[in-house]
């Protein structure tokens, strides 16, 4: 079960980039899985920081879903339309750097991410 629901996302987090419940539910499940991974399944009580982290991760995952088949658009040109794609390994590295930064922002000082 995801740490945040669509109503929390809309009403408390004030998110607007994800507009439908089904998409948010899917992304928040992925975000919850990532949170559980970086916190070593230590979460026993869900608080506001965890819910906010889940919403922020869901938004970032939604943004990163702009790539297809392991490709993400790295640049576009409008006149004489041109598209360049990032190398797949750099896409994954950048994606995980972004979502790990979000987790640090919300959960970094809670002790949940401590590896020791």
């Amino acid at each position: 079960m995801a740490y945040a629901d669509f109503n929390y996302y809309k009403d408390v987090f004030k998110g607007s980039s994800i507009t439908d419940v089904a998409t948010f539910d899917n992304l928040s499940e992925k975000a919850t899985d990532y949170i559980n991974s970086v916190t070593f399944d230590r979460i026993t009580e869900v608080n506001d920081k965890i819910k906010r982290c889940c919403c922020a991760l869901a938004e970032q995952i939604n943004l990163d879903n702009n790539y297809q088949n392991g490709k993400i658009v790295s640049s576009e040109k409008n006149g004489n339309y041109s598209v360049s794609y990032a190398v797949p390994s750099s896409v994954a590295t950048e994606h995980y750097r972004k979502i790990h930064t979000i987790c640090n922002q919300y959960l970094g000082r809670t002790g949940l991410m401590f590896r020791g």
Side-chain angles (χ1 to χ4, degrees):
M1 185 166 161
Y3 290 134
D5 61 19
F6 189 68
N7 288 331
Y8 182 90
Y9 173 72
K10 275 189 340 187
D11 300 335
V12 178
F13 187 75
K14 305 294 185 199
S16 60
S17 66
I18 304 170
T19 57
D20 66 285
V21 177
T23 301
F24 182 81
D25 288 348
N26 184 330
L27 296 172
S28 64
E29 286 292 337
K30 291 177 182 180
T32 297
D33 289 343
Y34 188 77
I35 292 169
N36 287 335
S37 174
V38 298
T39 61
F40 308 99
D41 293 316
R42 291 184 186 137
I43 296 175
T44 57
E45 187 175 317
V46 179
N47 60 31
D48 195 54
K49 287 182 180 182
I50 294 166
K51 289 180 181 182
R52 288 182 176 279
C53 183
C54 184
C55 292
L57 285 175
E59 282 190 339
Q60 185 61 52
I61 294 167
N62 189 46
L63 287 174
D64 289 345
N65 279 341
N66 290 331
Y67 68 91
Q68 296 161 343
N69 299 325
K71 296 179 184 177
I72 189 166
V73 175
S74 62
S75 67
E76 283 188 76
K77 182 181 170 186
N78 197 351
N80 293 331
Y81 186 74
S82 173
V83 179
S84 298
Y85 295 97
V87 178
S89 63
S90 67
V91 170
T93 301
E94 183 65 15
H95 170 73
Y96 286 110
R97 185 192 63 76
K98 287 177 185 176
I99 62 176
H100 196 76
T101 299
I102 290 170
C103 284
N104 270 332
Q105 177 186 351
Y106 288 96
L107 306 176
R109 285 170 266 154
T110 63
L112 291 169
M113 295 178 68
F114 180 66
R115 293 183 181 172

